[in-house]
Amino acid sequence: MSSIESVLQENRIFNPSPEFVAQANVSGMDAYKALCAEAEADYEGYWGRLARENIVWKQPFTTVLDESKAPFYQWFPDGKLNISWNCLDKNVEAGLGDKTAIIFEADKGEVTKVTYRELLSRVAKFANALKGLGVKKGDRVIIYLPMSIEGVVAMQACARIGAIHSVVFGGFSAAALRDRIEDAGAVLIITADEQCRGGKNIPLKPAVDEALTLGGCGSVRNVVVYQRSGGPANMVAGRDLWWHDLVAGQSETCEPEWVDAEHPLFLLYTSGSTGKPKGVQHSTGGYLLLAILTMKWTFDIKPTDVFWCTADIGWVTGHTYGTYGPLACGGTEIVFEGVPTYPDAGRFWKMIQTHKASVFYTAPTAIRALIKLGEGHPEHHPEKYDLSSLRLLGTVGEPINPEAWMWYHEKVGGGRCPIVDTWWQTETGAHMITPLPGATPTVPGSCTLPFPGIMAAIVDETGHELEWGKGGFLVIKRPWPSMIRTIWGDPERYRKNYYPEELGGKLYLAGDGSVRDPKTGYFTIMGRIDDVLNVSGHRLGTMEIESALVSNPLVAEAAVVGKPHDIKGEAIVAYVVLKRARPVGEEAKQLANDLRNHVAHEIGPIAKPDEIRFGDNLPKTRSGKIMRRLLRTLARGEEITSDVSTLENPAILDQLKEVVK
Ligand code: WT7
């Protein structure tokens, strides 16, 4: 987390070049301001116009926004559409049938391309196969697949028949998968035998098998398995089916299910400040609108672009800018199976060169890791590759430090590509605060200004807007089309989490701290204000990790906090009290290792604590409340200077300074 002072000191400013401005979809600051003014003057008129111009509706809507059940807002409620039709059939009918939709590059480098016509036929066949298995509109389908053309096909096929997909990142464990299957009440799981990453084959299907034995998954009737590598699949007769067998002989046409704009398109589980991950529910129409608009305005997408978003389909970025946005705009996109460091740290740059990528979108953590790896290996440095096809760069997922921004700008963008630092969340569906590359002057480390029509603001703890220069809570003042609709199965949690009474119940609370530049009004994100960590751009709840730790029979109590990390943004520090004496030496080392593996088993390797510290107790107030603030100070290795006289057990602090190496 950066300090307000350092944020407000940044004074480098980069104006979009005249060449970029001249060709941009939103050209110049006046064009940006005109859109904002239009939204300001007639909010519903603005979104209604854009929804009519950008989406092909089966049945046009007459109502733009229904606020009668606020904060359960409804957008375009009487309109009907199908998102898969808008991504595929629309483009084929417009003459783009032979255009490359997806360039897939496998972990080991093999390239496969599919055209819009082929993609439509594959989606239709798979959609028919799903129907054949009895999957109906509104049913939930879990997708646990690697990055692949099949991943996109599976999502599009669900959308085509009105089934609600819930993609689970392949890095989540069987236990995490089980929780999501149960919460969603899924009828079907789509998975692969293995995933190939970094030259290794990592089993996937066994995690599904394990999840289904853990209980609570009685709703699941079938498991569809895509054969990626020929690894062990342990097909269970009567339950498991091969993808290739299912699609064989299916018709290449499939009439889409025309759904209401509010029909749920997907659930995506994300971490909050309490233990259980929440199923963020998105709509069809409003979500599609912002997927398209942000592709056009933030990414300035043109028919000639080759767009590459490196995010996995397991995250919202992979949904909006991997599966839906680029295809809805008739674009050509790259889907990459592997990791940025295999076979070496030049992989991204080599792929940009080979496929002539023009718009590249990745996470600050990847940029920082590649800066570091490139230091000892000049041969993998971006300057060793021909990156002249690039015209625009983007980042997402966490604050980008100005040093990494400058490196990205100079070494990857050759000083000529604008950078869009896009702030958004799983819940917002699409970019909320971001530069528009042909309009907004950029400042390293700032996500600049709201997307036209998004009413972002910074407020104090009572919901009053703060003057620029004062740090506070980031909120969005009016509902927007691609917003979260509810938390699956828990509408009260949705209301309390995002529309808290303390702020008056009408402001969407993002959960981030932010400050606006006193002169420009530019936003800088200061990090989460709740117990959510951002580790390498992955969102993890501290309570989730604590629950995983205390589910180990040896553990009595655990507290998890984050500390700044050069590459990952944040690292996970876990303070653990065992049911037996505090371990030391070799025993502590062994136990710390066991506990890290235990967390990987409960959640996934991404949640493994970087550091474990054992104590006889945790620092608590006399009323028994854990003093997390002190734990954060200790984690950073800083001295505690505040008054600790309210602590029940101040002596414990010395013990907790010790890291198990
Ligand atoms: C949290 C949301 C949005 C897709 C990926 C993450 C942080 C996101 C930025 C940015 C600073 C950012 C926020 C936010 N975040 N983008 N450009 N600058 N912070 O989605 O997993 O839902 O996480 O990521 O803290 O609340 P997510």
Side-chain angles (χ1 to χ4, degrees):
M1 230 189 264
S2 34
S3 71
I4 292 196
E5 294 72 39
S6 71
V7 162
L8 298 181
Q9 261 162 29
E10 178 61 59
N11 52 17
R12 282 170 289 196
I13 192 155
F14 296 83
N15 287 301
S17 69
E19 300 80 57
F20 198 99
V21 177
Q23 60 80 60
N25 290 340
V26 177
S27 179
M29 209 51 189
D30 288 346
Y32 167 77
K33 286 186 184 148
L35 289 166
C36 296
E38 184 188 344
E40 199 68 63
D42 177 7
Y43 196 65
E44 292 187 25
Y46 169 80
W47 290 117
R49 170 176 80 77
L50 293 167
R52 274 186 292 273
E53 287 173 5
N54 288 281
I55 292 175
V56 180
W57 297 88
K58 182 71 175 176
Q59 176 187 300
F61 56 88
T62 58
T63 302
V64 172
L65 170 61
D66 179 353
E67 304 195 69
S68 61
K69 298 185 194 76
F72 300 90
Y73 299 101
Q74 302 202 314
W75 285 90
F76 321 115
D78 57 349
K80 279 190 193 294
L81 76 163
N82 181 280
I83 194 169
S84 143
W85 193 93
N86 271 273
C87 290
L88 303 170
D89 313 54
K90 179 186 79 184
N91 292 318
V92 173
E93 285 181 16
L96 299 180
D98 294 325
K99 180 173 180 173
T100 301
I102 298 177
I103 302 170
F104 173 72
E105 184 165 315
D107 187 50
K108 295 213 167 69
E110 191 194 332
V111 174
T112 317
K113 296 184 183 177
V114 281
T115 63
Y116 272 93
R117 199 186 319 284
E118 286 160 357
L119 190 60
L120 171 58
S121 128
R122 287 173 71 161
V123 168
K125 282 183 165 186
F126 194 64
N128 286 329
L130 291 177
K131 283 207 274 191
L133 292 174
V135 179
K136 294 196 179 59
K137 177 181 168 189
D139 283 349
R140 276 80 59 210
V141 172
I142 295 277
I143 298 177
Y144 189 59
L145 280 173
M147 283 297 280
S148 51
I149 296 169
E150 285 70 17
V152 176
V153 170
M155 292 166 78
Q156 290 277 353
C158 287
R160 193 162 189 93
I161 63 172
I164 305 169
H165 59 69
S166 185
V167 184
V168 177
F169 175 57
F172 280 118
S173 70
L177 178 63
R178 189 215 74 93
D179 291 347
R180 288 154 175 79
I181 296 170
E182 183 181 34
D183 190 81
V187 300
L188 186 108
I189 302 171
I190 305 169
T191 189
D193 50 357
E194 296 184 319
Q195 52 180 332
C196 309
R197 285 165 71 84
K200 289 197 267 296
N201 289 0
I202 308 156
L204 269 184
K205 174 64 167 43
V208 174
D209 293 331
E210 191 189 334
L212 294 179
T213 60
L214 291 174
C217 300
S219 54
V220 176
R221 293 192 303 258
N222 294 110
V223 179
V224 176
V225 186
Y226 158 56
Q227 192 168 40
R228 170 65 189 97
S229 60
N234 177 38
M235 301 297 279
V236 175
R239 185 194 76 184
D240 301 354
L241 304 142
W242 287 111
W243 177 301
H244 53 261
D245 288 341
L246 269 178
V247 295
Q250 294 288 352
S251 162
E252 288 189 8
T253 55
C254 172
E255 172 68 9
E257 180 79 35
W258 304 104
V259 299
D260 292 344
E262 280 297 317
H263 181 69
L265 174 63
F266 65 85
L267 310 179
L268 190 55
Y269 285 83
T270 191
S271 299
S273 34
T274 56
K276 216 171 101 157
K278 42 195 180 186
V280 170
Q281 179 180 319
H282 276 286
S283 71
T284 302
Y287 173 81
L288 174 61
L289 177 59
L290 267 139
I292 294 176
L293 283 179
T294 50
M295 284 302 298
K296 288 187 176 170
W297 295 353
T298 313
F299 291 131
D300 195 47
I301 205 78
K302 303 280 163 50
T304 47
D305 275 314
V306 176
F307 178 79
W308 185 14
C309 162
T310 65
D312 193 281
I313 51 166
W315 312 111
V316 73
T317 312
H319 284 57
T320 309
Y321 304 108
T323 297
Y324 293 112
L327 298 177
C329 293
T332 296
E333 65 163 332
I334 297 172
V335 171
F336 175 43
E337 179 180 40
V339 298
T341 48
Y342 177 81
D344 56 59
R347 183 68 183 268
F348 274 0
W349 324 130
K350 185 164 179 230
M351 282 182 62
I352 290 171
Q353 171 179 289
T354 310
H355 303 301
K356 301 198 167 34
S358 56
V359 182
F360 180 64
Y361 190 39
T362 197
T365 190
I367 298 168
R368 288 191 295 260
L370 294 176
I371 295 176
K372 189 100 186 245
L373 285 168
E375 276 165 7
H377 292 275
E379 70 278 18
H380 305 323
H381 203 269
E383 287 169 327
K384 292 285 187 278
Y385 297 84
D386 176 6
L387 304 182
S388 58
S389 57
L390 287 174
R391 64 182 198 91
L392 177 58
L393 302 173
T395 74
V396 59
E398 48 183 324
I400 181 164
N401 46 312
E403 303 72 50
W405 195 103
M406 287 306 298
W407 185 89
Y408 198 33
H409 178 69
E410 284 164 8
K411 310 292 183 205
V412 181
R416 81 185 172 276
C417 304
I419 297 180
V420 288
D421 174 355
T422 59
W423 176 85
W424 59 297
Q425 311 176 293
T426 305
E427 293 88 340
T428 69
H431 307 150
M432 295 284 105
I433 307 182
T434 175
L436 301 190
T440 322
T442 52
V443 170
S446 168
C447 52
T448 74
L449 297 171
F451 193 79
I454 300 303
M455 308 298 180
I458 298 176
V459 300
D460 65 15
E461 57 285 339
T462 61
H464 289 100
E465 205 159 336
L466 290 165
E467 60 187 285
W468 295 359
K470 292 238 159 67
F473 302 145
L474 180 59
V475 297
I476 302 175
K477 295 194 282 187
R478 301 212 56 182
W480 66 99
S482 64
M483 68 187 296
I484 174 178
R485 292 307 193 263
T486 188
I487 292 174
W488 181 256
D490 202 345
E492 250 332 276
R493 189 173 173 195
Y494 161 82
R495 184 202 293 274
K496 287 205 181 101
N497 246 277
Y498 301 109
Y499 286 92
E501 283 306 325
E502 296 86 321
L503 301 186
K506 289 200 157 61
L507 300 173
Y508 169 85
L509 178 66
D512 281 310
S514 182
V515 61
R516 302 186 72 162
D517 182 273
K519 288 191 288 295
T520 56
Y522 276 18
F523 287 79
T524 292
I525 305 298
M526 315 285 296
R528 300 285 307 191
I529 52 165
D530 51 9
D531 297 316
V532 169
L533 304 181
N534 194 328
V535 182
S536 301
H538 298 146
R539 179 161 154 187
L540 293 161
T542 53
M543 305 249 193
E544 216 177 325
I545 306 172
E546 287 163 8
S547 313
L549 285 165
V550 296
S551 75
N552 186 297
L554 296 175
V555 176
E557 234 184 334
V560 168
V561 300
K563 75 164 190 185
H565 185 278
D566 280 355
I567 291 173
K568 303 203 281 189
E570 265 184 307
I572 304 170
V573 180
Y575 297 88
V576 176
V577 181
L578 296 180
K579 288 177 186 160
R580 52 162 124 147
R582 174 173 180 261
V584 289
E586 270 310 304
E587 196 201 358
K589 219 167 159 179
Q590 183 58 46
L591 279 169
N593 207 33
D594 291 351
L595 290 179
R596 283 164 45 80
N597 290 333
H598 179 75
V599 173
H601 186 263
E602 291 300 303
I603 303 174
I606 53 174
K608 274 188 178 184
D610 296 82
E611 261 181 30
I612 292 199
R613 303 183 184 195
F614 292 106
D616 292 319
N617 204 339
L618 297 171
K620 287 180 192 148
T621 60
R622 295 208 169 82
S623 58
K625 195 170 174 293
I626 299 173
M627 298 282 280
R628 282 169 193 277
R629 183 173 48 80
L630 299 179
L631 292 177
R632 277 192 282 266
T633 310
L634 286 180
R636 284 197 210 103
E638 292 166 6
E639 282 306 316
I640 292 176
T641 50
S642 59
D643 179 19
V644 293
S645 61
T646 55
L647 276 189
E648 173 77 37
N649 50 354
I652 208 74
L653 295 173
D654 277 333
Q655 223 179 45
L656 295 175
K657 283 182 187 157
E658 210 176 297
V659 185
V660 180
K661 283 274 162 8

